[in-house]
Amino acid sequence: MKIASVVAAFITSLAPSAFAQDIDREPGSGIPAVKYQYGMEVDISKVLHRTDNSKKVGVVPVNVVYEDSKGEIHKIQFLEWGNGPHNV
């Protein structure tokens, strides 16, 4: 029983570092996000990455990493309704 507790504690201690590595692999993780404001002109040629909010509920932040018409990479953040289960 004590061995199981030690193993569980060890695995739990590794979780934050594994999560941090996943964030670093997200495209555009080193680019600061610009908060979108109504009426702001955005030159999007190609979307490279978008936050997946398919399982979130309510108003949630979205980050979009995109390439503009000049080939430069940008990140923009805005709010949207999550698409998760609405009968919660």
Side-chain angles (χ1 to χ4, degrees):
M1 188 67 148
K2 290 182 182 180
I3 293 174
S5 298
V6 171
V7 171
F10 177 72
I11 291 172
T12 304
S13 71
L14 295 177
S17 63
F19 181 70
Q21 289 172 356
D22 286 343
I23 290 173
D24 290 342
R25 282 189 232 130
E26 177 180 302
S29 61
I31 301 171
V34 174
K35 292 194 178 196
Y36 176 80
Q37 299 204 2
Y38 183 77
M40 187 176 179
E41 290 188 30
V42 183
D43 174 19
I44 299 176
S45 176
K46 181 180 180 181
V47 173
L48 304 174
H49 178 76
R50 184 183 191 290
T51 305
D52 178 20
N53 286 332
S54 62
K55 296 178 182 166
K56 296 183 180 173
V57 177
V59 178
V60 293
V62 175
N63 287 319
V64 175
V65 179
Y66 66 93
E67 183 178 314
D68 66 13
S69 60
K70 297 176 186 174
E72 296 176 5
I73 308 296
H74 303 274
K75 183 191 279 187
I76 193 163
Q77 183 179 64
F78 56 92
L79 299 174
E80 77 172 9
W81 282 101
N83 293 321
H86 298 288
N87 58 355
V88 178

